[in-house]
Amino acid sequence: MSEEEVVSIDRESQAIIEAIMKIAKDKADAIRKEAEKRAKEIIESAKREAEEILRSRRERAEREMREEISRRRSAAEVEANQIILRTKSKIVDELFRRIYKRLVDIADGNDPNWNYEEILERYSIIGANALGEKEVLLMGRGKDKDLLEKVAKKLSSKGIKASVDDRGIPTIGGVVVRDAKDEKRYYNTFDGRLRAYKEMKEVEIIEKLFGEVS
Amino acid sequence: MPRLVEAIMEAEEEAAKIIREAEEEAKRMLEEAEAAAKEILEEARNTPIEVSIMADVEREVQEILDKARSKAQELERLSAEKMEDLVEEIVREVLEGE
């Protein structure tokens, strides 16, 4: 082989080697670029998912906060209503406590504006008329016995035969009228009248007490 | 000719090494990206979420209760003014009503 031939072969082998190396480097570059692209996609995808997670968590936190606010507001409104109701109840109780005390004072003859004997007489007549009996007995507090005796006499003078039952009844005042056989009774006690009045007029009383305050 | 074959074989070995290194580098890049993505997601899951409207409701609750207490006081004041007259009126109705 001549020297020229040897030089020619060296050039050819160098060209082949360079071609092999170029292909390898190109492929390596392509692998790196593909990896870079994929890595970037992974990060971008993670960022998008992270944003979605944060958005969802924020929405949930806000929803829970709104629910908590709603719960607290409702609880406060319930508590506010209870404050008002307790106050109204206390005032109504105080009103009826005072009425009860006034009735006791009247029955004990401690109120100059009321004549308890006249009240007993009126209640006894109403009771006797309601029973429609010719003979009635009057029942009241033990300490009203003398008064009831006087009332019985007055009734008798008005054509209603009346006497006093020795048995006392537990009441703050007033009278129970019964027939001779104790088969019929007409209750006209202060307690009973107050109870009936309260049941019938409580709404009206509350309106009178609190109507102006809205 | 044997020298040419030998040179080409060496070049192919070198080429294979270049590609292998590129593949290893690519694998490392993807692993790093996966780790970074995991960290991003962890942070999103664990970052505290701040909502700043709670102070308002505390004030609103206090206002509701204060208003109720104020109304209760007003009820007590007004009813105290009416109480005596109402007692008289009701006592009369209780005793004189049918």
Side-chain angles (χ1 to χ4, degrees):
Chain A
M1 195 178 288
S2 69
E3 191 175 327
E4 276 182 6
E5 281 174 332
V6 170
V7 169
S8 171
I9 287 168
D10 280 352
R11 278 186 193 141
E12 279 177 25
S13 66
Q14 189 60 36
I16 289 167
I17 288 163
E18 282 175 3
I20 289 168
M21 294 306 286
K22 185 174 185 309
I23 289 166
K25 282 174 185 167
D26 287 351
K27 191 174 178 186
D29 285 345
I31 288 167
R32 284 195 189 90
K33 275 186 186 168
E34 179 59 28
E36 278 172 13
K37 187 183 162 200
R38 179 68 194 126
K40 198 175 170 186
E41 282 173 1
I42 288 168
I43 299 292
E44 289 303 317
S45 171
K47 282 182 181 172
R48 280 196 301 274
E49 195 178 337
E51 277 174 19
E52 182 60 28
I53 288 168
L54 283 171
R55 190 187 60 75
S56 170
R57 287 184 62 210
R58 201 171 293 118
E59 278 179 6
R60 186 177 163 191
E62 284 173 2
R63 188 175 62 248
E64 286 174 354
M65 183 63 68
R66 278 195 298 274
E67 287 169 1
E68 177 65 16
I69 287 169
S70 179
R71 269 196 299 276
R72 288 200 188 190
R73 192 179 288 137
S74 295
E77 280 163 3
V78 168
E79 173 64 17
N81 280 337
Q82 284 176 346
I83 288 170
I84 302 295
L85 286 176
R86 278 198 300 269
T87 303
K88 285 183 175 178
S89 175
K90 194 175 82 177
I91 293 168
V92 171
D93 287 350
E94 172 62 13
L95 174 71
F96 277 96
R97 191 192 64 76
R98 290 191 193 189
I99 292 166
Y100 188 89
K101 186 175 177 304
R102 289 274 286 117
L103 292 175
V104 170
D105 285 345
I106 290 166
D108 287 346
N110 296 328
D111 190 324
N113 297 317
W114 292 90
N115 185 324
Y116 183 51
E117 186 181 328
E118 281 179 9
I119 293 171
L120 287 179
E121 184 183 343
R122 187 158 52 85
Y123 286 3
S124 298
I125 291 170
I126 291 169
N129 289 338
L131 291 178
E133 296 287 328
K134 290 177 183 174
E135 186 182 350
V136 295
L137 281 92
L138 309 181
M139 302 168 77
R141 299 185 300 176
K143 60 182 172 183
D144 287 345
K145 192 167 183 301
D146 291 345
L147 273 179
L148 288 172
E149 294 285 2
K150 285 168 77 177
V151 169
K153 277 182 190 170
K154 283 185 184 174
L155 259 61
S156 296
S157 72
K158 288 179 180 174
I160 304 167
K161 191 179 175 189
S163 57
V164 178
D165 190 327
D166 287 336
R167 291 174 295 175
I169 55 169
T171 178
I172 56 168
V175 66
V176 176
V177 183
R178 71 169 177 86
D179 66 354
K181 293 179 180 173
D182 201 7
E183 289 173 345
K184 290 190 283 184
R185 287 186 174 191
Y186 188 91
Y187 286 83
N188 223 341
T189 61
F190 285 6
D191 320 52
R193 292 176 75 92
L194 179 58
R195 195 163 47 246
Y197 182 87
K198 191 178 176 185
E199 281 172 10
M200 206 164 57
K201 301 275 185 115
E202 190 156 26
V203 174
E204 198 178 310
I205 293 164
I206 286 168
E207 181 63 28
K208 280 181 182 173
L209 270 172
F210 312 121
E212 290 170 20
V213 184
S214 57
Chain B
M1 283 302 282
R3 281 182 56 207
L4 175 59
V5 171
E6 191 180 329
I8 287 170
M9 282 176 70
E10 281 177 12
E12 281 178 345
E13 274 177 26
E14 182 63 22
K17 187 181 169 196
I18 288 169
I19 289 168
R20 197 166 54 247
E21 283 174 358
E23 284 172 345
E24 282 169 6
E25 195 178 336
K27 189 183 171 196
R28 198 167 52 249
M29 281 164 67
L30 291 177
E31 283 171 355
E32 283 172 5
E34 293 284 356
K38 195 176 170 187
E39 200 172 315
I40 288 167
L41 292 176
E42 277 298 304
E43 195 180 327
R45 287 188 189 103
N46 297 319
T47 301
I49 302 288
E50 287 183 13
V51 187
S52 60
I53 43 180
M54 214 53 194
D56 291 342
V57 79
E58 296 290 349
R59 194 175 63 242
E60 193 182 333
V61 162
Q62 201 53 49
E63 279 173 7
I64 290 170
L65 295 178
D66 287 347
K67 194 176 167 188
R69 290 188 190 105
S70 171
K71 186 178 170 183
Q73 285 178 345
E74 181 72 354
L75 284 171
E76 283 178 340
R77 190 184 64 75
L78 286 175
S79 63
E81 287 174 5
K82 297 174 186 171
M83 188 73 83
E84 281 310 313
D85 288 345
L86 205 50
V87 168
E88 290 306 316
E89 182 185 328
I90 294 172
V91 164
R92 187 161 298 282
E93 287 181 7
V94 166
L95 294 179
E96 295 185 341
E98 291 299 318

